[in-house]
Amino acid sequence: MNRPIRIGVQIQPQHADYKRIRMAVVEAEETGVDIIFNWDHFFPLSGDSEGLHFECWTMLGAWAELTSRAEIGALVTCNSYRNPDLLADMARTVDHMSNGRLILGIGAGWFQRDYDEYGYEFGTPGTRLADLAQALPRIRARWRKLNPLPTRNIPILIGGGGERKTLRMVAEHADIWHSFSDVNALVRKSRILADHCVDVRRDRNTIERSVAVPALGKTPPASFARPLIESGATLFTIGVSGPDFNLDSVREWVAWRDQYNAANR
């Protein structure tokens, strides 16, 4: 499958008031990004740990009304924080609010402070992955029962790189796999994902590969992206944080995307 390059931006909802976050979302859509993500945490992940912060899914509902073209989603929702059937209904609702632009990004969870302060059981990586494995079919089953149904088959993005469990879930359930790997690890994990796809009789090419990329300094997007594209990645997401949400690098990536896609039609 010959996929076009896509560009995402993660508007990290920390260290800024909501008015500034809102402005950043509007600006990001105006730059032409394909997807606008936030994240699903209750406290900042960098900088002042007690700094300003806002909740993920409440925000996505507002972004559904605020935007009109870009897809939206969390990179990624923590499975532990919500009942899977409730999460399915929330996703279906935002899907309708956005006229079919929601991506359900989901993962097993990892940030212990969120769990401890909000009263969730942190458990172990194994128990959290087991919970995610049980949740994914429940989410799809709930979507089939809701009235109205989702506007489309809501794409599921699974984040993580665990080779035995997470990549198996990607093969079984995901439309997009988000990797936090470098190029060498991405190549290895892509091979393992391909093996899982064979086991579950899934065409590996139906799964889009997504990676996070840094805000650029002197390295142009073309040079940075080339080995990632050769490794199968086609979705590149730049994270930006408050209070400023500088989108200069995002504009560079979008301009490169347009040049690349035009040259590779």
Side-chain angles (χ1 to χ4, degrees), residues 9 11 16 19 35 44 48 61 73 77 84 86 94 101 130 145 170 230 234:
V9 60
I11 305 293
K19 180 179 179 181
I35 309 170
D48 180 5
T77 303
L86 171 62
V94 177
R101 292 182 291 114
K145 296 176 182 178
V170 171
E230 291 171 354
T234 57

Side-chain angles (χ1 to χ4, degrees), residues 59-76:
M59 218 180 313
L60 288 176
W63 292 7
E65 298 280 359
L66 180 62
T67 59
S68 61
R69 181 195 52 77
E71 291 184 292
I72 58 174
L75 190 62
V76 293

Side-chain angles (χ1 to χ4, degrees), residues 8 14 16 24 32 44 70 76 87 89 126 136 162 166 191 218 249 255 258:
Q14 59 179 8
V76 293
L87 178 61
D89 202 346
L136 288 164
T166 302
R191 291 177 183 144
K218 297 181 179 179
S249 285
D258 292 345

Side-chain angles (χ1 to χ4, degrees), residues 44 54 68 134 153 206:
F54 291 94
S68 61
Q134 293 178 352
N153 291 325
T206 61

Side-chain angles (χ1 to χ4, degrees), residues 50-176:
E50 303 300 327
L52 299 176
H53 199 277
F54 291 94
E55 191 276 327
C56 169
W57 274 89
T58 313
M59 218 180 313
L60 288 176
W63 292 7
E65 298 280 359
L66 180 62
T67 59
S68 61
R69 181 195 52 77
E71 291 184 292
I72 58 174
L75 190 62
V76 293
T77 303
C78 176
N79 174 65
S80 306
Y81 302 159
R82 300 163 192 87
N83 172 285
D85 291 88
L86 171 62
L87 178 61
D89 202 346
M90 292 165 61
R92 182 281 310 251
T93 300
V94 177
D95 166 66
H96 276 265
M97 294 169 68
S98 65
N99 293 316
R101 292 182 291 114
L102 179 79
I103 294 170
L104 177 58
I106 193 165
W110 63 274
F111 189 42
Q112 187 167 357
R113 184 184 180 191
D114 285 346
Y115 286 79
D116 291 345
E117 294 217 28
Y118 277 65
Y120 298 107
E121 182 179 351
F122 188 55
T124 67
T127 61
R128 295 194 297 276
L129 283 166
D131 288 344
L132 178 59
Q134 293 178 352
L136 288 164
R138 284 181 60 183
I139 290 169
R140 288 197 182 278
R142 179 56 55 185
W143 281 339
R144 292 191 294 268
K145 296 176 182 178
L146 291 169
N147 185 15
L149 296 169
T151 67
R152 64 172 178 168
N153 291 325
I154 297 174
I156 292 177
L157 177 155
I158 295 178
E163 296 176 0
R164 186 167 61 90
K165 296 180 180 179
T166 302
L167 292 182
R168 179 73 175 203
M169 284 185 267
V170 171
E172 292 175 336
H173 299 288
D175 302 282
I176 307 168

Side-chain angles (χ1 to χ4, degrees), residues 22-69:
R22 186 182 189 279
M23 291 171 61
V25 172
V26 171
E27 186 179 355
E29 184 165 62
E30 289 174 349
T31 68
V33 298
D34 298 286
I35 309 170
I36 305 173
F37 295 108
N38 60 8
W39 66 27
D40 190 20
H41 295 287
F42 305 131
F43 303 95
L45 296 186
S46 62
D48 180 5
S49 63
E50 303 300 327
L52 299 176
H53 199 277
F54 291 94
E55 191 276 327
C56 169
W57 274 89
T58 313
M59 218 180 313
L60 288 176
W63 292 7
E65 298 280 359
L66 180 62
T67 59
S68 61
R69 181 195 52 77

Side-chain angles (χ1 to χ4, degrees), residues 244-262:
D244 298 325
F245 299 111
N246 187 327
L247 297 178
D248 288 347
S249 285
V250 176
R251 293 185 182 89
E252 290 185 57
W253 278 96
V254 168
W256 164 78
R257 174 205 65 193
D258 292 345
Q259 293 170 358
Y260 182 92
N261 286 341

